[in-house]
Amino acid sequence: MADRSAFSPESLTENRLLYWIAAGLAVVMLAPVIWIVGLSLKNNQELMLGTEAVFRAPYTLKNYADIFVNSQVFGWFLNSMIVAVGQTLGVLTLCSLAGYAFARLEFPFRRTIFILVLFGLAVPEQAVIIARHQMFNWFGLHNTHIALMLPGMSSAFGVFLMTQFFRAIPREIDEAAMLDNTSQFRIFWKVLLPLTMPAQATLGIFTFLLAWNDYWWPLISATKKEMFTLTIGIASSQTNFAQSEGLGFLSAQAIFASLPVVIVYIFFQRHIVTAVSGGAVK
Amino acid sequence: MSAAIQINDVTKRYGALTVLENIDLEIAPGEFVVFLGPSGCGKSTLLRMIAGLEAVDSGTISLGGDRIDTLPPGKRGVAMVFQSYALYPHMTVSQNMGFGLQNIGVAPRDIDRRVKAAAETLEIAHLLDRKPAKLSGGQRQRVAIGRAIVKEPQAFLFDEPLSNLDAALRGRTRLELAQLHQRLGATMIFVTHDQVEAMTLADRIVILNERRIEQMGAPMEIYQRPATKFVAQFVGTPAMSFLPVSGIEDGARGVTLDVAGAGRVETGVHLPATFARENASLGIRAEDAKVLTPGEDGVPLRVKVVERLGDRAFIYGTLSDGTDFVVEDAGRSTVAAGQEVRIGFDPDALHIFDSAGRAYHHTEGA
Amino acid sequence: MAESYRRSRWSHALFVVPYLIVFLTLLVFPLFWGMWLSLNKVDLFGGAEFVGLRQYARVLSDPVFHQAVRNTVIFVAVSVPVLVGLGLFLALALNRKTRGAAFLRGLYFSSTILSVTIVTLIWRIVFIPNDGLMALIFAGLGWEPIGFLSTKGWSLFSVGVATVWWCIGLPMMLLLAALQQIPADLYEAAALDNASKGRILTRITLPSIKPTIMLVAVIQIVMQFQLFGQALLMTNGGPAGTSRPIVMYIYETAFIRWDVGLGAAASEILFVIILCAAMLQYWISTRKEEV
Ligand SMILES: Nc1ncnc2c1ncn2[C@@H]1O[C@H](COP(=O)(O)OP(=O)(O)OP(=O)(O)O)[C@@H](O)[C@H]1O
Ligand SMILES: [Mg+2]
C-alpha cells in the first residue's frame, strides 16, 4: 500500500491480463489486412509461383497503377462516389426537414405518422427488395444512379436521429427567434439547422458508409458492367479468382476500394461510433 | 416608445387544467410591473401570452391601444429576456443582437449603429465578436438584454432573468436594470419569485395565486397592507406569524382581541359591522413585535431558536398555547434558546384576517 | 381564438412530405406489394396469377429451403454467442483511458466499415488452398492443409470467421458505451465496502450492463439471420448447399431463377422471424428505460 496516488474507480475495473490478451488478439484483426497489403505490392507472376514471395523483395506499385489503366475500376469508383454522395445529400435533406417537423411543429396525425416511421426501423431490406426490384422495373429505372441512390433514402434511422437532435435544442431558442420576427422557414434554416451540424456530420458520414458499402441492392439493380459500384464490380472480378486477374491486382483493388471509407473512418471515427451506438444506448 | 398594456378578462387552460382565470390588468406606459407568486401559479404563462408564445383561450390583450393577442410573436412589438437567455449559440454577440432587425429588413448600417449603441450602454462592446459559449453567465445575460434593447420594443418582458446569476452579480444587475428602466422609460414586465427583486424593482407588484390576481399595488402597500392572508404570508421574510382569535370587542382606538396564546391584545384596527367574527386571526410581522426588558409586562414567549443576521436577530419561539411566533430583536440581542421572554406588539401594525382570508389594517386618522 | 405557434396546421406537414413520399413509395408500398407477390405466381414479364398460400406451401416443402433454414439457425446459434462473448471480453478489456486502449478500440471497430466485398475478398485470399495465409501457417506448423471454403462444415465455419472478424466492432462499442454509463460512485461505494475485483465484476459491472448485453444479443440475432454477402461471395453456398443461408435462397429463387412469388414467400417467412426478434429488441430497450 505504498501507492499513495488518489483512488480512481478505473483501478477497480481495469484488468491488465484482459488488456494484454485483447492486445494480442489484435494480430488476428491485422494479419489478414497486412497479408493483403503485402500481396498488393507484389508482381502477379511472382505470386503465381508461391505466395510466400510476399516476405521478400522486390515490391512494386504496378498493381495500383494498373487500376487507373484498367478504366473499369475507376468508373466503378466514380459510380460509388456519385451514389454515396447523392444518397447522403438526399438523406440529410429529407431527414432534417422531417426531424424538425416531428420535433417542433404540430400538424394533424403527427404522432401517428412518427410511430409509423419508427416501425420502418424494423423492416429488413430483404422484406422489400423483391417488390422494389419490380417497381424500378416498371419505370425502367434499373442501371441508373438514381435507382441506386433512392432506396437508401427511405431509411427511418436518419429521421429518428434528427428528430432526437432537434428535440435536444431548447425551445427558448425558437421562441427568441419568433420574437425576433423570424419566419418559420428561416427559424429552421438560419437558427436551428446550424445547431444540428454535429448531427448532420454523424448522419452524413454514417449514410455515406452505408451507401458506399451497400451490396444487395446494387447487385440486383445494376446489371450492366458500366453501372457497377465498386462493391459489385470488385465482387464480379473475384468470381474467377486468382486465375485471371492475379492475387496482387485483386488485393490492390480491394485496398483502393476501401480507401475512401478508411479515410473517412480515420478522420471521423467519433461520429461513426456515435451513429452506431446512439440508436441503441441512451 | 413605451406603451400601455391592457389585459382584459384573460383565461388560459391546458386541457382540463385552468391556469389563469379572468385576469384583468392595466399597465401604464413606462411602468415597471413585477409578477410575483409561488411556483406554478402562472406567472410565466401570463408573460408568454403577452409575448405571443402561448395562445389566449379567451379575453384580449392590447398594447398601446392595439389588440395584439391575435398577432404572431414577432409582430407584437415586445421583446423578451428568457431565464436561460436563449442566445443563438452559432451567432456572435453582434449577430445575436442584430438578427431581429435583419429579419425586418433594417439597413445593415442602422443595425450596426443600434447594436453598437446598445453594446456601449451595457458595457459589452468588447464582446461583440464572441460567441455565447465564450461568455460568462453575467455577460450572456447582458447580451440577452442587449438583444431586447436594439429592437426598441414598446414593452420589455423578463422571465426570471436574474435567477441564473450568483448573489453578488444578481444584486448588481438588479440595480442596472432599475437604471436601464429609468433611462429608457420603457414599459417593463418582470417575472420573479424573489421578493427582494420585486420590492426593489417594481413600480407595482402583481401577486398571482391560484389562477387569479391576489393583489396589485406599490411594493410598500403590498408589504404593509396585504389584501389577503395569502399575500401577508407570501411577502416578507420571515413570514408573518398568525394567532387564532377567540373573541373581539370594540373599543375607541380599535378592536381588542382575545388571543389564546397572548391574552387580550389591543389593536388600532377598526372592523366593519359586517365582519364575520368566527375563525378570525391576528397577523404580526416580526419587526412589529419587540422583546421587552425583563420586568415589563407582556406576552410570554418560550424561545426555541435564535437566528443572528448581524444587524438584527430573529427569535423563533412558541406562545403559551403552542402557536409559533417570530419576533425581531437587535443584532446584539442576548436572548438565548430555552429562555422565556416577554414580548409586546405595535397596535397600529397589526393585521386582522377574517375566515375567508380578507385583511383589515389600521387606517391613518381613523 | 388567439394565435399560437404551437397550433396544429396542415401546412406544417409540408416539412415531412418529402420524406414521407420516399418512405411510402420505397418502404411501405414494397412491404405490402411483397406480401401480395408472395400470394401470386409471377412470370418473367411481370404477369401475376393469384395462387393463395400455395407459394408458402412450396417453400415449406422445399428441401433446399429446409437446408437453408438449418444452416442459418446453426450459423446464428454459433456466431451470436461468439460475437456477444468476444464483444463483452473486448469491452471489459479495453474500457480504460489509455492511448493504447483507444487505438485497439479503433482497430477492432475498423473492420466494421469495410464492405462485404472487401471482407470476403480478404478472407478468401487468406483461406485459398496452397497459397493462402492459412495454408502457409498450416504448412509452417506441419499440419494437414484443409480446403476451408470447399469442405462440408468448414465452409460455413469460414463464413463465420469472416463474419465475426467483420462484425465484432458493433457489439464491442455498444457494450463499451454501456460500461461507461455506469456511475463512478457505484464503484467508489464498492471500494469503501472492500469488494474484490471479481465481486465488483459479477455484482456491479455485469448486472449494470445486462440490459445492453441482451440488446446486443438481439441486434446480432437480427443481423446474422440476414447473412448473405459473405456466403454468396466466399462459398456460393457450397459445397452441396451446406453454407447456403435463407437470404441467399431468396436471392437465388427471386433473381437467378426468377421464381418471384416463391422468393417473396420465403422473404415473408424470414421477415416474420426477424420481426419477432425486433419486437424482442424493442421490448428489451423500453424495459431498460424504466430501470
Ligand atoms: N405546456 C403546458 N402544458 C400543460 N401545463 C402547463 C404547460 N405549461 C405550464 N403548465 C402548467 O401551468 C401552470 C403555470 O405554469 P407557469 O410556468 O406559468 O408557472 P410559473 O408561475 O412561471 O412558475 P415558476 O415560478 O416555477 O416558473 C403550472 O401548473 C404548469 O404545470
Ligand atoms: Mg416561470
Side-chain angles (χ1 to χ4, degrees):
Chain A
M1 289 293 126
D3 181 11
R4 296 182 59 195
S5 63
F7 163 82
S8 78
E10 283 87 41
S11 66
L12 293 174
T13 53
E14 285 178 3
N15 187 319
R16 220 159 276 232
L17 181 66
L18 288 189
Y19 178 76
W20 286 112
I21 296 177
L25 274 178
V27 172
V28 181
M29 293 302 290
L30 274 175
V33 176
I34 294 171
W35 179 246
I36 299 295
V37 173
L39 290 177
S40 76
L41 296 172
K42 292 298 291 184
N43 180 295
N44 284 304
Q45 274 68 43
E46 206 182 334
L47 289 176
M48 293 282 206
L49 303 175
T51 44
E52 63 278 5
V54 167
F55 300 113
R56 13 167 234 272
Y59 296 103
T60 164
L61 286 174
K62 182 172 179 303
N63 289 322
Y64 290 95
D66 282 351
I67 290 175
F68 294 90
V69 178
N70 180 336
S71 64
Q72 232 168 9
V73 176
F74 198 69
W76 298 338
F77 182 90
L78 278 183
N79 287 339
S80 279
M81 265 299 166
I82 293 168
V83 171
V85 169
Q87 186 174 321
T88 303
L89 293 179
V91 165
L92 289 182
T93 310
L94 297 179
C95 295
S96 301
L97 288 167
Y100 167 66
F102 283 128
R104 281 298 205 264
L105 305 179
E106 273 303 331
F107 49 89
F109 307 114
R110 183 181 59 94
R111 281 183 60 83
T112 319
I113 297 173
F114 189 63
I115 290 169
L116 179 75
V117 170
L118 288 193
F119 271 117
L121 286 171
V123 178
E125 186 172 26
Q126 40 79 21
V128 291
I129 202 160
I130 296 174
R132 258 184 206 163
H133 185 268
Q134 265 208 344
M135 288 168 59
F136 279 80
N137 225 358
W138 296 338
F139 299 104
L141 279 172
H142 286 303
N143 288 306
T144 63
H145 288 134
I146 285 287
L148 293 175
M149 287 176 207
L150 273 178
M153 295 187 201
S154 65
S155 155
F157 174 75
V159 174
F160 178 66
L161 191 79
M162 289 314 296
T163 305
Q164 297 291 79
F165 217 85
F166 274 106
R167 276 192 187 146
I169 301 173
R171 254 191 197 273
E172 280 92 37
I173 299 274
D174 309 41
E175 295 179 343
M178 276 174 226
L179 285 161
D180 269 347
N181 230 319
T182 322
S183 68
Q184 184 113 76
F185 188 77
R186 209 166 135 84
I187 290 180
F188 166 71
W189 187 248
K190 282 276 188 181
V191 178
L192 295 181
L193 206 57
L195 298 180
T196 63
M197 275 310 149
Q200 305 277 349
T202 299
L203 179 59
I205 291 159
F206 185 68
T207 309
F208 182 88
L209 288 183
L210 279 190
W212 187 270
N213 288 340
D214 194 14
Y215 178 67
W216 222 145
W217 176 247
L219 176 66
I220 55 175
S221 177
T223 47
K224 289 199 186 121
K225 234 178 163 145
E226 64 271 19
M227 281 309 299
F228 281 179
T229 59
L230 263 185
T231 10
I232 304 310
I234 300 224
S236 77
S237 60
Q238 282 181 50
T239 30
N240 30 11
F241 221 48
Q243 299 94 13
S244 60
E245 308 254 12
L247 282 179
F249 184 59
L250 266 180
S251 304
Q253 281 184 7
I255 288 162
F256 176 70
S258 331
L259 228 44
V261 292
V262 170
I263 290 169
V264 167
Y265 180 64
I266 288 170
F267 283 101
F268 302 106
Q269 190 181 342
R270 197 173 49 80
H271 285 290
I272 297 167
V273 172
T274 312
V276 297
S277 54
V281 180
K282 277 137 217 146
Chain B
M1 177 167 136
S2 62
I5 299 175
Q6 275 109 26
I7 297 172
N8 257 322
D9 202 24
V10 160
T11 296
K12 175 70 188 172
R13 291 182 203 89
Y14 287 116
L17 174 78
T18 304
V19 182
L20 293 165
E21 203 165 14
N22 308 111
I23 299 288
D24 279 304
L25 176 63
E26 295 224 0
I27 297 170
E31 199 176 10
F32 197 124
V33 168
V34 170
F35 292 172
L36 184 65
S39 191
C41 69
K43 306 181 292 288
S44 300
T45 306
L46 186 52
L47 196 74
R48 290 164 56 84
M49 285 194 295
I50 300 172
L53 300 172
E54 298 295 343
V56 174
D57 284 321
S58 69
T60 61
I61 300 175
S62 325
L63 177 71
D66 303 321
R67 197 169 156 187
I68 57 167
D69 55 279
T70 48
L71 299 176
K75 305 267 184 246
R76 296 188 176 198
V78 299
M80 183 156 168
V81 176
F82 293 82
Q83 181 174 4
S84 61
Y85 314 142
L87 300 177
Y88 310 121
H90 57 297
M91 298 188 195
T92 63
V93 168
S94 63
Q95 286 167 338
N96 257 285
M97 289 167 68
F99 191 62
L101 300 179
Q102 209 183 324
N103 287 337
I104 52 172
V106 177
R109 281 193 28 222
D110 293 336
I111 296 181
D112 204 48
R113 189 176 46 73
R114 279 158 75 170
V115 167
K116 285 235 168 69
E120 280 322 319
T121 356
L122 293 165
E123 297 168 25
I124 50 172
H126 59 295
L127 303 174
L128 282 176
D129 293 325
R130 288 211 208 155
K131 294 218 172 137
K134 296 209 169 136
L135 301 176
S136 72
Q139 291 169 333
R140 277 179 217 175
Q141 217 271 340
R142 278 152 193 275
V143 175
I145 294 177
R147 187 168 65 179
I149 290 178
V150 291
K151 281 191 283 190
E152 298 173 4
Q154 304 203 53
F156 287 83
L157 310 175
F158 298 91
D159 194 354
E160 306 194 31
L162 306 184
S163 60
N164 284 336
L165 303 179
D166 67 49
L169 198 53
R170 219 169 160 163
R172 217 178 75 204
T173 318
R174 206 169 63 214
L175 276 177
E176 286 170 358
L177 264 181
Q179 287 168 4
L180 188 73
H181 176 239
Q182 274 173 12
R183 194 172 53 242
L184 298 177
T187 313
M188 294 188 174
I189 305 181
F190 188 101
V191 166
T192 183
H193 43 220
D194 182 317
Q195 290 182 30
V196 182
E197 278 168 22
M199 296 294 292
T200 52
L201 286 171
D203 293 327
R204 200 148 55 105
I205 294 178
V206 175
I207 306 258
L208 288 164
N209 183 40
E210 304 220 336
R211 305 191 293 279
R212 40 189 207 87
I213 294 178
E214 194 85 22
Q215 182 176 9
M216 43 188 160
M220 281 319 280
E221 185 188 337
I222 299 263
Y223 187 78
Q224 289 176 334
R225 308 181 65 79
T228 62
K229 196 169 175 178
F230 169 79
V231 176
Q233 183 172 287
F234 185 71
V235 177
T237 351
M240 190 182 274
S241 305
F242 296 96
L243 315 178
V245 171
S246 51
I248 300 178
E249 241 171 66
D250 291 311
R253 273 197 73 220
V255 294
T256 303
L257 308 175
D258 276 326
V259 180
R264 289 174 68 77
V265 178
E266 287 190 9
T267 75
V269 183
H270 288 280
L271 292 177
T274 52
F275 185 85
R277 301 193 165 212
E278 286 79 45
N279 295 322
S281 55
L282 169 66
I284 309 173
R285 287 204 192 278
E287 74 262 27
D288 297 329
K290 63 171 184 288
V291 179
L292 304 174
T293 48
E296 268 185 286
D297 188 25
V299 177
L301 178 76
R302 177 151 298 280
V303 179
K304 286 165 118 180
V305 179
V306 179
E307 210 177 61
R308 293 175 196 284
L309 301 182
D311 59 332
R312 62 213 147 121
F314 291 115
I315 295 164
Y316 294 80
T318 49
L319 302 175
S320 58
D321 68 332
T323 317
D324 290 321
F325 195 89
V326 196
V327 53
E328 190 184 311
D329 200 7
R332 289 184 299 276
S333 170
T334 53
V335 176
Q339 272 183 342
E340 186 171 290
V341 295
R342 301 263 158 179
I343 54 175
F345 318 122
D346 172 1
D348 288 346
L350 300 181
H351 313 273
I352 300 174
F353 304 93
D354 65 14
S355 56
R358 265 199 64 183
Y360 298 86
H361 317 279
H362 168 72
T363 30
E364 295 298 326
Chain C
M1 247 297 169
E3 195 82 3
S4 164
Y5 75 96
R6 293 237 186 92
R7 274 267 293 291
S8 180
R9 266 174 233 274
W10 282 102
S11 66
H12 288 162
L14 284 179
F15 281 89
V16 289
V17 164
Y19 173 74
L20 275 188
I21 291 173
V22 177
F23 178 73
L24 291 175
T25 51
L26 290 173
L27 201 77
V28 178
F29 175 75
L31 184 64
F32 290 105
W33 186 248
M35 291 175 191
W36 168 249
L37 283 178
S38 73
L39 303 175
N40 278 275
K41 189 167 178 291
V42 185
D43 61 43
L44 254 180
F45 309 100
E49 176 199 342
F50 186 81
V51 293
L53 293 174
R54 211 168 315 151
Q55 301 286 19
Y56 288 90
R58 277 179 69 206
V59 174
L60 292 173
S61 60
D62 184 351
V64 180
F65 185 71
H66 294 169
Q67 191 189 29
V69 171
R70 200 162 47 240
N71 292 338
T72 312
V73 170
I74 292 171
F75 181 82
V76 169
V78 177
S79 69
V80 171
V82 170
L83 280 165
V84 176
L86 201 57
L88 183 59
F89 163 76
L90 289 174
L92 289 171
L94 300 179
N95 185 25
R96 41 167 73 196
K97 291 196 175 76
T98 60
R99 274 164 176 266
F103 172 78
L104 288 173
R105 287 196 297 265
L107 178 69
Y108 278 107
F109 189 76
S110 60
S111 58
T112 307
I113 59 150
L114 298 176
S115 71
V116 65
T117 310
I118 306 299
V119 172
T120 53
L121 179 61
I122 291 173
W123 281 94
R124 281 177 71 191
I125 294 179
V126 169
F127 280 134
I128 31 174
N130 309 323
D131 283 336
L133 183 61
M134 276 301 179
L136 288 188
I137 293 171
F138 272 49
L141 295 170
W143 293 351
E144 200 61 25
I146 301 175
F148 279 103
L149 301 177
S150 51
T151 316
K152 269 188 193 169
W154 284 113
S155 62
L156 195 57
F157 169 83
S158 307
V159 168
V161 170
T163 303
V164 170
W165 186 85
W166 186 32
C167 298
I168 188 62
L170 183 62
M172 177 191 73
M173 280 301 175
L174 293 178
L175 290 164
L176 267 168
L179 282 179
Q180 279 157 10
Q181 280 177 353
I182 303 175
D185 51 15
L186 228 54
Y187 289 113
E188 289 165 358
L192 293 172
D193 283 344
N194 261 316
S196 69
K197 275 194 176 187
R199 278 181 71 79
I200 285 175
L201 178 67
T202 53
R203 292 302 181 85
I204 295 180
T205 308
L206 291 181
S208 305
I209 61 168
K210 194 173 141 217
T212 309
I213 297 178
M214 302 278 289
L215 188 66
V216 166
V218 177
I219 292 176
Q220 287 306 321
I221 292 173
V222 170
M223 280 175 59
Q224 300 312 336
F225 254 107
Q226 301 183 63
L227 167 67
F228 173 49
Q230 301 97 297
L232 181 68
L233 289 168
M234 288 176 74
T235 65
N236 200 13
T242 51
S243 62
R244 177 190 289 112
I246 301 176
V247 176
M248 194 171 150
Y249 175 88
I250 296 169
Y251 168 72
E252 286 176 348
T253 42
F255 298 109
I256 305 284
R257 292 194 274 119
W258 295 105
D259 196 342
V260 174
L262 190 66
S267 74
E268 297 307 327
I269 293 172
L270 180 56
F271 180 40
V272 170
I273 297 173
I274 288 172
L275 209 58
C276 292
M279 269 150 75
L280 197 62
Q281 172 181 352
Y282 176 77
W283 181 68
I284 289 172
S285 60
T286 48
R287 204 186 46 160
K288 194 179 80 172
E289 277 173 8
E290 286 161 17
V291 175

